[in-house]
Amino acid sequence: MNRIKRFVSQLLKDLFNDEDKKELIEILTTSLEEKVDDLVEQGTPVDEAIDKSINEFGDAKDVLEAFPDKASLKTGIIRKRRNQLLFATFGYLLIGGLAIFLNLTFINFLDGFKWFVIVLIGVFFWPLSMLYLYLMAKK
Amino acid sequence: MISSDVIRGHIDTIILKLLLEKDMYGYELANEIKQRTQNKFDIREATLYAVVQRLEARELISSYMGEKSLGRKRRYYRITSLGKAYYREMIEEWRLLREIMAAMLGSDIS
């Protein structure tokens, strides 16, 4: 039944604050397990029952349907993603700046090779992935 | 098949009605709705259980763990007196809505 718990936690990952979430995870998990039990009782193999239950369950959007003030929840996710994006950009500039500074002032090995470029490209995945998550949330 | 958009505000009432008849566990509720509406009302279980959680948070229903003959326990829901009062209010609203729609659309919808 661990698959069910994992599925539910993944489903609610970015929604709700922790207090509401605990209760919701509990209820969703229990109800899914009840369904699996019922299906197994009717003769379905366990794995198949779990697959069926998870497939028929619905997604995060369906969970939000239940909350009339879901607009504010969505705003919450967008705000969170934007903060992550800002943090990532800030961190990127900080690390990049430090690399450039060290490269040009102190550590000039590799015959003047501008190794800070590698750092800049390497760390770029961070703001980039956050930008992606932000745009996904906004959509 | 009706999408949940139209009926979203009334899932609460439907659940309360079912629990008024007898205590049920989550999946039982889902099944009951499916059967009674002959699959015309396409509600996802994700939505249904989330509504159940919301109703419990508002103390319109409460839950208890029931024994099952073999294996796991089930979480049953029962309607509270607050829930019953709320249900009666909703029924009043429905009557009014029906009257209004009948007065406006008349024979077209009967």
Side-chain angles (χ1 to χ4, degrees):
Chain A
M1 292 296 178
N2 273 334
R3 272 180 64 201
I4 289 185
K5 276 217 175 89
R6 235 178 301 134
F7 167 72
V8 173
S9 320
Q10 186 64 26
L11 187 75
L12 301 178
K13 205 164 52 119
D14 295 320
L15 312 176
F16 311 104
N17 59 49
D18 290 342
E19 195 52 41
D20 292 342
K21 190 141 100 177
K22 219 177 125 212
E23 189 59 26
L24 196 56
I25 287 180
E26 169 79 28
I27 286 188
L28 296 185
T29 310
T30 314
S31 305
L32 263 170
E33 286 173 353
E34 286 164 0
K35 178 167 181 175
V36 172
D37 282 350
D38 281 12
L39 290 175
V40 170
E41 222 163 81
Q42 290 157 21
T44 317
V46 179
D47 282 330
E48 201 177 303
I50 295 177
D51 284 339
K52 189 171 150 66
S53 306
I54 287 178
N55 287 338
E56 290 176 354
F57 190 69
D59 53 24
K61 215 177 82 235
D62 294 313
V63 175
L64 286 184
E65 288 274 307
F67 299 87
D69 53 346
K70 64 177 174 155
S72 65
L73 282 168
K74 192 169 182 235
T75 329
I77 298 173
I78 291 178
R79 195 178 311 124
K80 189 177 150 199
R81 289 286 182 236
R82 201 183 44 218
N83 287 341
Q84 285 174 333
L85 176 63
L86 288 175
F87 181 69
T89 312
F90 181 70
Y92 177 67
L93 292 176
L94 209 66
I95 294 172
L98 190 70
I100 294 172
F101 175 72
L102 286 176
N103 193 174
L104 299 184
T105 350
F106 301 119
I107 312 169
N108 213 344
F109 62 91
L110 294 180
D111 289 335
F113 176 64
K114 302 277 185 290
W115 53 263
F116 71 83
V117 175
I118 299 176
V119 178
L120 284 184
I121 295 172
V123 188
F124 190 62
F125 81 92
W126 188 24
L128 199 65
S129 55
M130 288 307 157
L131 177 68
Y132 174 73
L133 287 177
Y134 173 62
L135 291 178
M136 285 297 283
K138 233 178 145 183
K139 204 168 72 179
Chain B
M1 181 101 77
I2 192 164
S3 77
S4 49
D5 261 7
V6 182
I7 211 165
R8 187 190 300 144
H10 308 294
I11 303 171
D12 298 26
T13 319
I14 293 173
I15 294 176
L16 291 177
K17 163 69 180 169
L18 291 174
L19 294 180
L20 207 55
E21 292 172 11
K22 71 179 175 87
D23 298 357
M24 290 186 197
Y25 58 95
Y27 180 53
E28 197 179 3
L29 281 169
N31 251 346
E32 206 54 44
I33 293 176
K34 217 177 279 173
Q35 272 168 23
R36 286 194 197 189
T37 60
Q38 287 149 11
N39 289 324
K40 282 185 197 126
F41 174 28
D42 179 31
I43 182 175
R44 304 311 297 261
E45 282 165 56
T47 314
L48 179 71
Y49 301 145
V51 172
V52 165
Q53 190 262 341
R54 190 161 52 76
L55 291 177
E56 194 178 10
R58 288 167 66 197
E59 295 182 2
L60 299 176
I61 63 176
S62 63
S63 67
Y64 61 93
M65 296 309 283
E67 289 291 343
K68 195 186 149 192
S69 53
L70 41 120
R72 208 177 301 270
K73 284 181 171 179
R74 278 174 177 158
R75 181 173 178 149
Y76 281 90
Y77 300 97
R78 84 158 71 84
I79 188 166
T80 62
S81 45
L82 193 64
K84 287 176 190 163
Y86 180 77
Y87 176 73
R88 281 194 295 271
E89 252 173 59
M90 284 299 108
I91 291 300
E92 270 316 303
E93 231 180 85
W94 257 109
R95 284 212 184 98
L96 194 61
L97 179 67
R98 198 178 55 188
E99 274 170 34
I100 293 169
M101 292 314 276
M104 295 309 298
L105 307 178
S107 56
D108 290 347
I109 52 169
S110 62

